[in-house]
Amino acid sequence: MAGFRIADLLKWKTTVIILHPLTGEPIKDENGNIFQVYLKVLGDEDLESTHRRARLASSRIRKLLNDTTSEAYKDRVEPIMDATREECEDIVRQFRTANLGAEAKAAIVREELPTIEEFAKVPDASTLEEQEELDEAITKQEEAYEAAIAAYIEDRTMVENNQISSMSDDEIKSEAKESLIGIIALSEFFTEMINEKIYRAAYRDKLFKQRLYESVDDFKSEDSRIRQQLIDAYLGIE
């Protein structure tokens, strides 16, 4: 079991001093004190709720984008009908290859790393040379795994590119439309997820009793530069 470190207790929370978007100076409260925001990593229940709400948001925008009578469709999807073939190919390629990294990790078996028992005559009293041999073996295995991932992605990308190139103009335009809807829905999912996370993670007090925002909509209406400061701080501890 890994040893305990006091510093590990700091990983799940942090304090943020918000800087004024124009001056770069710390923002102060009504009493003239530097205003601090307290952030904590979300627990399982909040994370589950966050993902559920993000999926609802992506589902809503997907339905609107598939409705040819909606303003969302007219503003964000219909213009693809006037796009060039090259532009359509780029959209299809972006959507098809977006998940290749995760696909590769699911397809490539990651073998268990070697242990000191494989190199040391007395594992509980291994020599420095034996430990070096173990480190070298682990490094080689990790490098081989990363190379296999890269090769998988390269091969799959080539397959997708060949398929895209062979499509007719009508086929590529039709798929570009569907791909664009998928890209926008995915973006909506991630945007809503981070908004929900910050709303649930940000507090006014170090005991995490008083939320900074009353609702996720309050956070969304915040100055974008302040929102980004909070997002960056949260991602640093997640």
Side-chain angles (χ1 to χ4, degrees), residues 11 84 94 109 185:
K11 293 181 179 179
T84 65
Q94 178 184 347
V109 177

Side-chain angles (χ1 to χ4, degrees), residues 45-111:
E45 186 175 339
D46 272 331
L47 280 176
E48 182 179 345
S49 180
T50 291
H51 282 81
R52 183 174 63 254
R53 290 178 179 275
R55 289 193 297 270
L56 289 172
S58 63
S59 177
R60 284 194 297 270
I61 191 65
R62 193 187 302 275
K63 288 178 181 178
L64 286 173
L65 295 174
N66 277 297
D67 180 0
T68 58
T69 66
S70 72
E71 291 300 319
Y73 175 86
K74 294 175 182 177
D75 291 341
R76 306 179 71 177
V77 179
E78 195 170 60
I80 197 69
M81 297 297 104
D82 296 324
T84 65
R85 180 183 175 92
E86 183 179 2
E87 291 170 334
C88 289
E89 285 188 3
D90 286 343
I91 292 172
V92 172
R93 187 175 297 108
Q94 178 184 347
F95 185 67
R96 284 194 179 192
T97 60
N99 202 42
L100 285 185
E103 181 182 314
K105 290 180 179 180
I108 304 298
V109 177
R110 187 168 197 165
E111 299 179 358

Side-chain angles (χ1 to χ4, degrees), residues 6-236:
I6 294 176
D8 292 336
L9 298 176
L10 305 177
K11 293 181 179 179
W12 66 276
K13 61 183 178 180
T14 190
T15 303
V16 185
I17 295 176
I18 303 297
L19 303 181
H20 194 289
L22 298 180
T23 66
E25 297 293 325
I27 293 178
K28 296 183 178 180
D29 62 21
E30 60 275 11
N31 297 318
N33 300 315
I34 292 178
F35 186 74
Q36 297 185 83
V37 176
Y38 301 88
L39 293 175
K40 68 172 183 177
V41 173
L42 300 185
D44 291 342
E45 186 175 339
D46 272 331
L47 280 176
E48 182 179 345
S49 180
T50 291
H51 282 81
R52 183 174 63 254
R53 290 178 179 275
R55 289 193 297 270
L56 289 172
S58 63
S59 177
R60 284 194 297 270
I61 191 65
R62 193 187 302 275
K63 288 178 181 178
L64 286 173
L65 295 174
N66 277 297
D67 180 0
T68 58
T69 66
S70 72
E71 291 300 319
Y73 175 86
K74 294 175 182 177
D75 291 341
R76 306 179 71 177
V77 179
E78 195 170 60
I80 197 69
M81 297 297 104
D82 296 324
T84 65
R85 180 183 175 92
E86 183 179 2
E87 291 170 334
C88 289
E89 285 188 3
D90 286 343
I91 292 172
V92 172
R93 187 175 297 108
Q94 178 184 347
F95 185 67
R96 284 194 179 192
T97 60
N99 202 42
L100 285 185
E103 181 182 314
K105 290 180 179 180
I108 304 298
V109 177
R110 187 168 197 165
E111 299 179 358
E112 290 188 12
L113 295 175
T115 63
I116 193 63
E117 283 76 12
E118 301 172 40
F119 297 88
K121 294 179 180 179
V122 183
D124 290 336
S126 58
T127 67
L128 177 59
E129 183 177 3
E130 290 168 339
Q131 293 173 26
E132 290 170 350
E133 291 175 353
L134 172 62
D135 290 339
E136 183 177 353
I138 290 175
T139 298
K140 287 182 179 179
Q141 187 167 315
E142 288 291 281
E143 289 176 347
Y145 175 75
E146 293 300 329
I149 292 291
Y152 181 96
I153 293 174
E154 183 178 356
D155 290 343
R156 286 283 288 107
T157 299
M158 186 179 299
V159 169
E160 295 296 346
N161 285 337
N162 290 336
Q163 290 181 351
I164 290 170
S165 297
S166 68
M167 297 170 71
S168 69
D169 289 347
D170 288 341
E171 288 173 334
I172 197 69
K173 184 147 292 190
S174 176
E175 184 162 341
K177 174 183 172 183
E178 296 304 317
S179 296
L180 181 59
I181 291 173
I183 290 170
I184 294 172
L186 186 61
S187 176
E188 184 73 11
F189 171 83
F190 285 118
T191 298
E192 187 66 20
M193 184 167 62
I194 194 62
N195 286 338
E196 287 281 347
K197 282 184 176 182
I198 303 304
Y199 157 61
R200 298 166 189 275
Y203 287 79
R204 294 176 177 269
D205 63 299
K206 63 179 62 178
L207 296 178
F208 301 104
K209 299 294 185 181
Q210 184 181 4
R211 289 192 189 276
L212 181 62
Y213 298 100
E214 293 185 3
S215 68
V216 68
D217 288 333
D218 283 342
F219 174 66
K220 291 179 182 179
S221 66
E222 180 65 270
D223 184 287
S224 61
R225 294 161 294 186
I226 292 178
R227 286 205 313 271
Q228 194 59 51
Q229 290 182 55
L230 292 171
I231 291 171
D232 291 342
Y234 181 81
L235 293 178

